[in-house]
Amino acid sequence: MEFLTEYGLFLAKIVTFVITAVVVISVVVSAAQKDRGDQDGEGELKIRKLNEKYRKLREAIEARLMSDQQRKVFEKARKKKDKLEKKASKKKKEESDEDSSRGRVFVLDFDGDIKASDTDPLRRAITAVLSVADPERDEVVIRLESGGGLVHSYGLAAAQLDRIRSKGVRLTACVDKVAASGGYMMACVADRIVASPFAILGSIGVVAQLPNFHRFLKKNDVDFEVLTAGEHKRTLTIFGENTDKGRQKFLEDLEDTHGLFKEYVSERRPDLDIAAVANGDIWFGKRALDVKLIDEIKTSDEYLIEACDRADVVSVSYQRKRSLPEKLGLATSVALEHTVWKVLGVFRNQKFQ
């Protein structure tokens, strides 16, 4: 028992030393990268042809269902087909066949947080796509997931999608889980919105909330002064005493923002009864279709698999090079998230046992 205790303490020391060393190295590497000017947001554009992905999935299942003899024949035919396709692709590239009627579908992804942090990678991916997209035959699909967030952040994200429409390129928004508030502001830019049966749509409204500690400070004889130049420079504060006049001005600003939101949605979806849906409420898939928040019930996978029959479907994403500290932070975050969900799952299972 004493041996195990000593071994445990030794192991703990080793782990502590390794973690400390990694942190120190991370800080040094990060500083060195900063000195070299590598922290300017440089990254790389990743291109992946989804036709090949879906084809391999289909062929893998087909092969599993065959007998050994059938599988040999199938593999031989597939290799021959792949060889012919590569030859045809090479010939097409050499001849620069611009008259091909087969279009391209460029797939972008946006996973939104409260700050719409994915906006910059989206902006760069859109810039790349618009440099080659043909309005006559190409399409852009945005796989969008967001519950909304800061008005100005999502306003900029939506403006990036507006660039696609302004160039005359067809834009389709696919929502598998949620596009609410700022997320729906982005989705409504699309020519067509496709959503899964239980995706959450809508929440066309504006909300603001903040705590106020004035009474607590007053109770403890703590003064807090707010000095402003300009009548409306500060309407509501966290520590100062809020007034009815300040609240009224704050509410007027919220109403004005809501009005701009409604105008934005109405301009892009003119058939929508904005008065009926702009009350901050949400709708699930089919209900959203009934009130014309969306145009079709379908998952993004369904839509893209069907698109593979008529076009070359290409996933385009911009990925910024992460520093070592960022990579370590991301790994820690993923581990913690996994642990939390695992604990919640245990509690849920116990509840229903």
Side-chain angles (χ1 to χ4, degrees):
M1 189 66 180
E2 183 179 352
F3 169 76
L4 291 176
T5 302
E6 291 179 357
Y7 178 75
L9 290 172
F10 172 75
L11 187 61
K13 290 178 182 179
I14 293 296
V15 171
T16 303
F17 173 77
V18 171
I19 292 175
T20 303
V22 169
V23 171
V24 172
I25 293 172
S26 299
V27 172
V28 172
V29 172
S30 179
Q33 288 179 341
K34 190 172 183 180
D35 291 339
R36 292 198 306 268
D38 289 339
Q39 301 298 315
D40 59 355
E42 288 186 358
E44 59 179 336
L45 202 64
K46 293 203 169 184
I47 312 294
R48 184 185 182 192
K49 193 170 181 180
L50 299 184
N51 300 67
E52 188 71 11
K53 169 190 171 183
Y54 291 124
R55 182 179 71 83
K56 286 182 177 179
L57 286 173
R58 183 181 67 250
E59 290 180 350
I61 293 177
E62 289 175 346
R64 291 277 185 174
L65 299 175
M66 296 176 182
S67 64
D68 291 341
Q69 184 62 33
Q70 289 175 323
R71 191 178 299 113
K72 289 180 181 178
V73 174
F74 176 78
E75 291 290 343
K76 186 177 180 180
R78 187 178 66 178
K79 288 180 181 178
K80 184 177 180 181
K81 182 181 177 182
D82 288 344
K83 187 176 181 180
L84 290 173
E85 286 180 351
K86 287 181 180 179
K87 187 176 180 180
S89 178
K90 184 178 180 181
K91 183 179 179 181
K92 180 180 175 181
K93 186 176 181 180
E94 290 174 350
E95 295 176 354
S96 299
D97 186 7
E98 297 294 337
D99 297 326
S100 174
S101 59
R102 188 172 175 85
R104 295 167 296 184
V105 175
F106 298 99
V107 183
L108 311 177
D109 290 284
F110 185 90
D111 188 5
D113 56 16
I114 194 170
K115 298 186 296 182
S117 302
D118 257 3
T119 300
D120 188 62
L122 177 67
R123 173 181 66 85
R124 294 171 185 265
I126 289 174
T127 299
V129 168
L130 291 181
S131 68
V132 297
D134 182 352
E136 296 296 325
R137 60 190 180 95
D138 293 340
E139 175 186 4
V140 175
V141 172
I142 174 78
R143 290 188 291 197
L144 175 63
E145 302 296 340
S146 176
L150 300 176
V151 174
H152 59 281
S153 298
Y154 275 90
L156 178 59
Q160 298 302 328
L161 296 180
D162 266 322
R163 293 171 56 201
I164 299 172
R165 285 194 63 169
S166 66
K167 291 292 185 180
V169 180
R170 283 182 300 143
L171 176 63
T172 301
C174 289
V175 183
D176 287 329
K177 295 179 181 177
V178 57
S181 194
Y184 188 76
M185 179 189 287
M186 294 180 65
C188 76
V189 176
D191 298 283
R192 188 170 183 80
I193 303 176
V194 177
S196 64
F198 285 93
I200 298 173
L201 288 302
S203 189
I204 303 174
V206 184
V207 62
Q209 54 189 353
L210 72 162
N212 184 264
F213 298 94
H214 175 70
R215 285 187 292 178
F216 174 79
L217 296 176
K218 188 176 181 180
K219 182 179 179 181
N220 290 276
D221 296 324
V222 178
D223 292 329
F224 183 85
E225 295 184 4
V226 180
L227 305 177
T228 63
E231 182 183 0
H232 298 142
K233 181 60 180 177
R234 182 70 68 238
T235 52
L236 296 183
T237 73
I238 296 178
F239 298 108
E241 183 176 7
N242 292 319
T243 64
D244 290 338
K245 185 178 180 180
R247 291 189 189 92
Q248 181 59 37
K249 179 63 174 78
F250 197 87
L251 284 171
E252 289 174 3
D253 291 341
L254 287 183
E255 289 293 341
D256 184 51
T257 305
H258 189 207
L260 290 171
F261 192 176
K262 291 190 289 184
E263 289 174 15
Y264 190 87
V265 175
S266 296
E267 289 172 2
R268 286 149 186 78
R269 293 190 69 84
D271 294 335
L272 188 64
D273 184 355
I274 195 67
V277 299
N279 57 4
D281 206 349
I282 62 166
W283 284 263
F284 288 97
K286 188 176 185 306
R287 300 288 183 262
L289 180 63
D290 293 339
V291 296
K292 298 184 179 180
L293 283 169
I294 63 173
D295 302 292
E296 187 178 4
I297 297 291
K298 187 176 290 184
T299 66
S300 62
D301 285 318
E302 286 180 280
Y303 188 84
L304 293 177
I305 289 172
E306 291 174 3
C308 287
D309 294 331
R310 57 180 169 81
D312 294 326
V313 182
V314 183
S315 171
V316 181
S317 63
Y318 177 86
Q319 295 185 2
R320 183 175 65 85
K321 294 178 181 178
R322 290 191 175 95
S323 63
L324 184 56
E326 288 177 320
K327 290 178 180 178
L328 289 173
L330 182 62
T332 303
S333 175
V334 171
L336 288 173
E337 183 180 4
H338 178 74
T339 302
V340 169
W341 281 112
K342 191 171 182 179
V343 171
L344 290 176
V346 171
F347 282 121
R348 183 194 61 185
N349 292 337
Q350 289 178 345
K351 179 180 178 182
F352 292 104
Q353 284 178 352

